[in-house]
Structures are given as C-alpha cells and as structure tokens.
Amino acid sequence: MQCLNCENRCTVADGDLGGCGQYRRNGDAMEECYPDRYLIACPIVIETMPMLHFHPGSKFLQISTVGCNFDCPGCISTTLVREMDPASSILQELKPEQVADKAIAQKCRGIAFLMNDPLAGLDTFVRVAKAARAAGLLVGCATNGAFTEPSLSRLLPLVDFINIGVKGLTEEAYRACGGRSPDAVLRNVRLLHEAGVHVEVACMHRRDNRDELQELARRVAKISPAIPLQVMRYIPLESADPAWEPTILESEAAVLDLRKTLRHVYLFNSPGTDQLHSLCPECGEVLLRRDFYGPMGARLLAAEPRGCPHGPASLDLRGQPMTGDFKEGDFQGGYPFTRALEIVQSMLIALGVSDTAEVVRVWEQILGRQSLRELHHSIQHPSAYLATLEYFGALTGRQTRAATLVAYMEARLTAVARGLEGVSRRPRVYYAMGKPLFAIKGPRFENQMVELVGGESVNRRVELSGRPGMSIDREVLNALNPEVMVISAFLSSPVKDFHAECLRLGVDVDAVRNLRIYTPPVPSSDFGGPRWILGLLFLANILHPERFNFDIAWEAKSFYREFYDMPFVPDQLNRSFGKPSNTWCWTRA
C-alpha cells in the first residue's frame, strides 16, 4: 500500500517502515512509530518560528519531535531530523492534553510545531491540534508543505497559521531534498489560503536561484499578493556548497526586486539588515521594527505607525502586534538549539568521535541533565572551554585525545600571553556580525578573544540584549570610535561590502578611516567549535602585528591534519559549527 501522509507516497509492505522511518505499516494502516514524544516543548516568541504577520510579538509553545520526510542538503535541523535517535530516552512523552495544559501554564497564545516537520509526526500533531482547539489555543506549524490532499484535509480545519518552506520550482530541486515536485506544495499554499489559514511562504536565496525566486513570487502573488514571503539568505551548512552563499547586499537587492511583486517580503540570516522591518506598502513608512534574532529568526522591537495615514491595516496582519519582556533562554527556542547540539558535536569530532550513536549518547546526557545553560556559559571563555573538552574526553573514553587537543590549544594561548608581556596599549575593537550596526553582545566568546589577544572590547561598553547581539544606532558606534572592526566568521560579510556600508551609513570611526576592518579567513573560527584557536591567532596578528606573525594557513593545515585527519581545503569550508568541511561524513559502527 501507499503511505498518503506526504507526496512521496512511499509504497510500504506490511510490517515495513516508510521512507522517513517514522511510520510503519500495520495491515491497512500506517502507524506512527514514536507518538506523543517531544525533544522540545518550550515557549517562544512567534517571530522565532519565524512567523511575522500572525499575532506579532505573542508567545507560543514550541513543540518539536525528531525526523523528517525530506532530506535537504545543508539542512539547519540536521541534528534533529537525521542524527538524533527518535527512540532516544531523552524525548519526553506528553499526551495532547498535557501539551495544551503546558501552553496555558506558560501563558502562551497557542502552540507551534517547528524545527522538524510535522509530517514526521502527523498523527501526534493532529491530536495536539484538537486538544489545543478545545482549550481555546491557536495552532500552527512550519513545514515543507508536501501534504497529500487527504493528509491536508485532516489538518485544514485545525490550523490557524502555517509557514511553508518552498525548496525550489523544479522537480530537480525537490529530488535533491528527497521529495518529488513543487506542484503539490503550491497547491497546498492555495488550499490553505482559500480555507482562511494565515500562510507565510519561506524560501532560500542562493547565488544561482534569483530568477527562480522571481517566479515563485509571481506564483504566490496569483494566490494572494498579501502573503508574506520570507527570504532566507542561504547559509551553507553540513554538506552544502559554500560557493552558493550570497552576500547580505546581494540578498537585499533580491528582496527589493521581489517587493515589486509581493506586498510583504523579508530577509533573514542577515544581521543588521533593515529588510526585516514591515513597511507600509502605500508610503514606505516603517510600521513594525524588527531585528535579527539568530539563524532563521527575528525579534519584534516596536510597533510604530507614527505619521503613516494607512496604519497597521496596510500590513494584512492577523492579530494585534505586541511587545513584551519574555525572551527565550540562551539555547532555547528556535534554531539556536540546533547550534548548541552542533557545538557539542564539533568538540566530539575533534576528539575523534566519528559515529552518530556516540554523539547522541552525549547529547542525551546533556539534555537529560538540562544543562544547556551550563554549556552556554562554559563555552564563553577559553579556560572553561578547555575544561569542557576534558569533560567530553572523559565521558567518551578519549582522555588522551582530549589532553592532546587541550595541550595544543594551551600552547598557543601561552604563546599569545607571552607575546603580550609589557603591552601597555590595547587597541579599541568592535565585533560585528553581518553588517556594521549589528553588535555582538559583550560577554560572548568573540569579545573574550579580543581581550585575550590584547585588545579592548568596546562592545562591553554598550548594554546589548538580543541573540547573539542587537542592532545599535550609528551615533553609538561613532561614539565608541573603534580602531579595529572585526566581522564574525559565522554570518559574515566581505570586507569591501562592510566598508561600503560604513560609508553609506555615515559610520565615521578610526577603523573606517584607516581601513582596519577584518574577518577571520577560516569560517566559523571565532565561536563554537575548537577551530576558534585559529581565529584567536588571527586576531593576535591584526591587533599587534609588531609582536605576532602566526602563519594561519600553516596552523589550519596542522590543526586539520592532527584533529580531523583530513587536509585543510579552503574551498570546502562552510558555516557549520560541527562538521570541519562539507566533505566530512560519519562512519558507521
């Protein structure tokens, strides 16, 4: 028989699993293998989902399970959909009524299924949606949208809002993700919209698909030009090709073109962009002001209609915007949770762990002890980071390898400390992510590194919230007057683009005047994975060139050879915290 949950329509023999591994055939029925089991059940603000035009600023209970019906290259949720064991004891069992009760107890407006696809647990989600509806809660999800018409008919009367991620407009794009065709997904966008469900569409912008985005905008506009389009600037992760990554300026240009076709288009994964704000389609006035809030996320800062004669009604919102004091924990809510799992994974890979089952066992220990917050603090300073490496070495029986890695890193930390002896002047350093006005929070690891290599972190002078920081005013940056500006090695910008933005914005500081703007040459080498030691040496070179001249290329080759057992090939490096290159793969025990 065929499984009719998703459009892959797997043919399944009695007793066998479907292609996603989440359903087993039992006679004439496909039964969910892991019902009512959740990896995450915690409150979020709805923009974290992300959802921008449905009850903006409101709190919802995020639920996430494990698994997916697709297998997209470079998926940001790989740790959940492909690597976490769905039978793991760390998943908590909650009956539908318990999920609804939890949402009410947390003063949530509703429930949102996200990060992995509800098609991996459709029966569970339908039961939760019914319980939520009975309790007066709103219900929604983020999904690839590959429902069959029968499966969508089960959900259609129960959902209030939905984010549908479109993978492309060709069968080739869907086959690359383990799917079949975009036609059914676009059909479902239409059916949901016609049924009165609030729909937002998400898509990736890569360097090679701008024409495809234009065609998607035209097709969505035929359904309704009021449907918001979320453009996710492509972040190459896992096995994804880094050559496809557009710059922030390139993605901003794409968004401006798309706004000629749709009323509401937004840009994600681009810290510091002003294209997360909601503009009145009639006069261009900013009505809802937002900021970057981690990968795939946003944060509503203010609703400010000011002098706009058209008001919020021009935004086609469902529900009134509101801002509050609730903020998710450091690694809780949305996709930063997956970054936490990747950081653990990155340490384990450097310690020689090459089997996912062993990684999952460590994840289980951390999540079972509810120590994500402890982990977040332990990776904010090098000495604590080294202690964490030793802890994972003991946990996995790799004490010798951990001691070797710690000794390697300590030797370079000692070399930096000795080189700074007698230094009396510390250059003022500003650490940005993406664009010039997005400042990384003072206590974060990047600013700790600045101080370790003899710089003064001016980020510490500013009260910054947000995740991993927030946008500041030009006047604040000018008053800080940094001598050196460093761009994050994770969500980065070319130095040329960053400098041009400084000039456009009127950033008048010593670093801009003297062209002292830098980004580490090794991606993701200033936070998260052990490769930060390479970023530290790079910072030492640029802040005190009279004292340091580390050969970063040699150091990178040495590090990769000793701890990853592979060559250092710059063209194969992407933005993953965990995997050392886009060619690295797990072995199987």
Side-chain angles (χ1 to χ4, degrees):
M1 66 172 284
Q2 275 191 340
C3 173
L4 294 180
N5 281 331
C6 87
E7 283 290 346
N8 286 345
R9 296 176 180 261
C10 300
T11 299
V12 188
D14 197 16
D16 285 354
L17 294 171
C20 67
Q22 303 296 311
Y23 299 90
R24 186 182 300 276
R25 179 180 169 185
N26 183 3
D28 293 332
M30 294 299 297
E31 294 181 350
E32 193 177 350
C33 297
Y34 311 100
D36 301 321
R37 291 166 57 79
Y38 300 91
L39 183 62
I40 301 168
C42 70
I44 60 168
V45 176
I46 196 166
E47 284 80 6
T48 301
M49 182 176 172
M51 182 67 57
L52 300 186
H53 280 223
F54 189 84
H55 292 268
S58 294
K59 187 162 64 166
F60 281 73
L61 185 75
Q62 170 188 342
I63 55 174
S64 306
T65 62
V66 172
C68 189
N69 60 315
F70 278 15
D71 187 10
C72 302
C75 175
I76 194 170
S77 293
T78 291
T79 52
L80 305 187
V81 302
R82 292 290 162 229
E83 294 172 349
M84 180 67 75
D85 182 357
S88 170
S89 61
I90 197 62
L91 274 71
Q92 58 180 315
E93 185 170 344
L94 294 170
K95 298 302 180 186
E97 293 75 20
Q98 290 176 298
V99 176
D101 289 345
K102 191 177 183 72
I104 292 168
Q106 298 273 7
K107 296 182 169 54
C108 295
R109 192 175 288 264
I111 294 170
F113 192 125
L114 60 138
M115 289 214 308
N116 75 308
D117 205 285
L119 280 163
L122 186 60
D123 296 337
T124 288
F125 185 46
V126 166
R127 289 193 297 274
V128 167
K130 289 178 179 177
R133 275 295 181 93
L137 296 167
L138 299 168
V139 181
C141 64
T143 172
N144 55 49
F147 299 93
T148 61
E149 289 191 78
S151 66
L152 184 64
S153 69
R154 297 176 61 196
L155 206 56
L156 204 58
L158 301 172
V159 292
D160 302 285
F161 61 99
I162 194 165
N163 180 323
I164 294 186
V166 177
K167 308 301 179 183
L169 290 180
T170 64
E171 290 187 1
E172 180 184 12
Y174 271 79
R175 284 196 298 269
C177 287
R180 288 194 175 185
S181 164
D183 296 338
V185 176
L186 293 170
R187 174 203 70 209
N188 292 338
V189 171
R190 175 179 57 79
L191 291 173
L192 286 155
H193 176 74
E194 289 174 351
V197 177
H198 175 78
V199 180
E200 301 192 16
V201 172
C203 59
M204 287 287 178
H205 171 228
R206 302 193 312 253
R207 275 201 161 135
D208 64 343
N209 75 339
R210 191 157 168 180
D211 290 344
E212 202 169 1
L213 286 185
Q214 290 286 356
E215 178 59 23
L216 174 62
R218 285 191 284 270
R219 293 196 192 185
V220 171
K222 286 182 180 178
I223 299 170
S224 171
I227 293 176
L229 179 62
Q230 303 174 359
V231 176
M232 304 294 172
R233 187 176 72 90
Y234 178 77
I235 307 174
L237 302 170
E238 301 293 328
S239 61
D241 187 346
W244 288 348
E245 180 182 8
T247 67
I248 293 176
L249 294 186
E250 288 170 341
S251 289
E252 286 181 330
V255 165
L256 290 176
D257 279 349
L258 293 168
R259 284 180 179 166
K260 298 172 184 175
T261 304
L262 288 167
R263 292 164 62 86
H264 314 294
V265 186
Y266 300 97
L267 178 60
F268 286 76
N269 300 338
S270 304
T273 186
D274 59 3
Q275 293 182 17
L276 267 176
H277 304 328
S278 286
L279 310 180
C280 172
E282 309 298 330
C283 66
E285 183 74 30
V286 174
L287 299 180
L288 299 179
R289 190 171 297 276
R290 301 185 187 88
D291 204 2
F292 171 84
Y293 199 66
M296 310 293 188
R299 173 66 63 176
L300 180 64
L301 300 178
E304 34 187 44
R306 288 188 275 181
C308 173
H310 310 99
S314 65
L315 295 180
D316 309 297
L317 301 179
R318 296 278 186 95
Q320 292 301 308
M322 59 180 293
T323 54
D325 296 329
F326 172 75
K327 289 181 174 61
E328 295 91 342
D330 296 318
F331 280 141
Q332 283 192 323
Y335 293 95
F337 178 85
T338 64
R339 302 307 88 201
L341 299 183
E342 263 208 22
I343 289 169
V344 174
Q345 187 182 86
S346 73
M347 297 185 191
L348 297 176
I349 288 173
L351 295 179
V353 175
S354 58
D355 181 62
T356 52
E358 193 168 0
V359 174
V360 169
R361 285 196 291 270
V362 176
W363 285 342
E364 287 174 345
Q365 293 228 17
I366 292 171
L367 296 173
R369 290 168 39 216
Q370 297 185 334
S371 55
L372 275 186
R373 183 175 178 81
E374 178 184 329
L375 172 69
H376 186 264
H377 289 298
S378 73
I379 61 170
Q380 296 300 340
H381 194 278
S383 61
Y385 194 103
L386 300 187
T388 304
L389 284 172
E390 292 173 332
Y391 168 72
F392 286 144
L395 199 61
T396 59
R398 289 172 171 78
Q399 293 93 332
T400 301
R401 177 78 168 229
T404 302
L405 177 55
V406 168
Y408 179 101
M409 300 174 90
E410 282 181 334
R412 281 139 186 87
L413 287 165
T414 299
V416 169
R418 287 175 178 167
L420 291 172
E421 289 176 358
V423 166
S424 58
R425 187 180 177 282
R426 293 175 171 260
R428 300 182 304 278
V429 182
Y430 172 74
Y431 227 113
M433 183 174 279
K435 299 188 79 174
L437 296 182
F438 193 89
I440 290 176
K441 286 193 289 193
R444 275 181 58 99
F445 192 86
E446 296 92 333
N447 299 314
Q448 301 273 1
M449 290 206 304
V450 164
E451 295 179 344
L452 274 174
V453 298
E456 179 200 349
S457 171
V458 299
N459 296 57
R460 289 181 174 274
R461 300 185 194 174
V462 187
E463 186 71 29
L464 298 169
S465 58
R467 190 165 68 179
M470 61 182 289
S471 295
I472 60 175
D473 293 333
R474 175 193 61 194
E475 292 75 17
V476 173
L477 180 51
N478 285 343
L480 294 172
N481 191 26
E483 300 165 78
V484 176
M485 301 173 85
V486 184
I487 314 165
S488 165
F490 176 44
L491 297 180
S492 198
S493 285
V495 168
K496 181 180 177 182
D497 285 4
F498 191 94
H499 181 258
E501 272 292 281
C502 286
L503 298 179
R504 184 184 72 83
L505 294 167
V507 175
D508 184 20
V509 298
D510 287 348
V512 174
R513 289 189 288 268
N514 298 322
L515 297 178
R516 296 198 66 192
I517 302 172
Y518 308 91
T519 190
V522 180
S524 296
S525 63
D526 52 7
F527 178 75
R531 285 176 288 178
W532 63 257
I533 195 67
L534 304 175
L536 183 94
L537 300 181
F538 173 76
L539 288 175
N541 283 352
I542 65 173
L543 295 192
H544 291 284
E546 75 286 357
R547 290 174 176 257
F548 300 109
N549 186 28
F550 292 108
D551 185 337
I552 304 301
W554 183 89
E555 291 283 352
K557 290 175 184 176
S558 173
F559 189 89
Y560 268 65
R561 184 173 57 253
E562 184 160 2
F563 299 108
Y564 298 139
D565 193 28
M566 67 186 301
F568 175 76
V569 183
D571 289 347
Q572 294 175 352
L573 305 183
N574 57 26
R575 304 291 177 185
S576 287
F577 287 164
K579 315 302 191 299
S581 86
N582 69 345
T583 63
W584 193 93
C585 59
W586 298 107
T587 58
R588 297 295 176 187

